Amino acid sequence: MDQNRPLTKRELKQLRRLEKLDHDKQDGSRNTIRWIILGIGALLFIAFFGFLIFLAKQNSSQKETTLSNSGWVKGAENAKVTLVEFVDFQCPACKTYYPMVQGLLSTYKDKSFRLMLKHFPLTSSHKNALSSAMAAEAAGAQGKFFEMHDILYDRQDEWALLPVTSAQEKFILYAAEFKLDREKFVKDLENKELEEKIRANQDEGINNGVSGTPTFFLNGKIIQNPRSVDDFKKLIDQELK
């Protein structure tokens, strides 16, 4: 066959087809390599981002808190272990944890443990959060904070969904059960100084990483909410060693 003769149209068409197949194969290989590189890059990015989140959480958990020594306290003033709880009396989760915390107070009756309560009313979702905190403070002004604290949780279903004024009427009835001075209690429900105290508690919580309730700090360190009294005890016993 003459190697120098011109290619026929059929041969040219076949040659172009072969060249196209070869080109497509090369493009396919390049695309495969490109996708592999992109996939590896994406995995590395996800891993790096996850590592940054892990470091942030570690730093947050190890961050020194600046909690004040101001709050409503049950237990010895110089106790070795202090459990601080930020609460919202209308919060269903706080009500769930209420008997657990009471159980801790019963278990650690000696001078090794104390509970400190601070306010953190979630007013954006609980319309009576602030008014119930005010009721507790108004009762506290007459030496009955924890009595009001207990009844607010025990009877949360009675007042939580009421309009604010109706809820306040309930609080006044509760105060009567403790034989509080009615006139002073009613006046203190609107006491700006008591409200400022509540707001100060909330600001303190925000500055220390509190975003919801209940939030617990054990000896100054924020902890994940334990699921049971036994889980609480394990953490407390570690601090007592």
Side-chain angles (χ1 to χ4, degrees), residues 112-215:
S112 63
F113 175 81
R114 70 172 183 161
L115 169 70
M116 179 180 290
L117 290 179
K118 295 176 182 284
H119 299 286
F120 200 85
L122 301 172
T123 53
S124 61
S125 55
H126 298 150
K127 61 184 176 183
N128 287 315
L130 179 59
S131 61
S132 57
M134 291 291 290
E137 285 294 327
Q142 298 188 50
K144 297 291 184 179
F145 175 85
F146 280 102
E147 287 81 355
M148 183 61 76
H149 162 279
D150 293 349
I151 204 170
L152 286 172
Y153 282 137
D154 289 337
R155 303 185 192 175
Q156 189 186 79
D157 293 343
E158 293 182 357
W159 57 267
L161 300 181
L162 294 177
V164 173
T165 53
S166 298
Q168 288 178 324
E169 290 172 3
K170 284 285 187 183
F171 304 152
I172 293 169
L173 292 176
Y174 300 160
E177 295 183 29
F178 311 137
K179 303 187 184 307
L180 299 185
D181 182 318
R182 176 188 171 90
E183 184 178 350
K184 176 173 172 52
F185 181 81
V186 171
K187 185 177 179 180
D188 281 342
L189 287 177
E190 306 295 336
N191 188 314
K192 292 301 180 183
E193 289 185 5
L194 295 182
E195 183 176 346
E196 287 175 7
K197 178 181 177 182
I198 293 167
R199 299 293 188 189
N201 276 186
Q202 191 165 33
D203 289 342
E204 181 182 8
I206 291 171
N207 291 335
N208 284 280
V210 178
S211 59
T213 57
T215 296

Side-chain angles (χ1 to χ4, degrees), residues 72-100:
W72 291 98
V73 176
K74 259 191 175 182
E77 193 66 30
N78 298 319
K80 186 175 181 180
V81 176
T82 297
L83 180 69
V84 175
E85 181 185 7
F86 282 85
V87 300
D88 171 347
F89 291 111
Q90 194 179 341
C91 166
C94 291
K95 181 179 179 179
T96 298
Y97 272 88
Y98 163 62
M100 294 190 202

Side-chain angles (χ1 to χ4, degrees), residues 1-5 7 11:
M1 181 181 292
D2 186 358
Q3 299 294 326
N4 295 319
R5 71 174 177 80
L7 296 175
E11 289 172 335

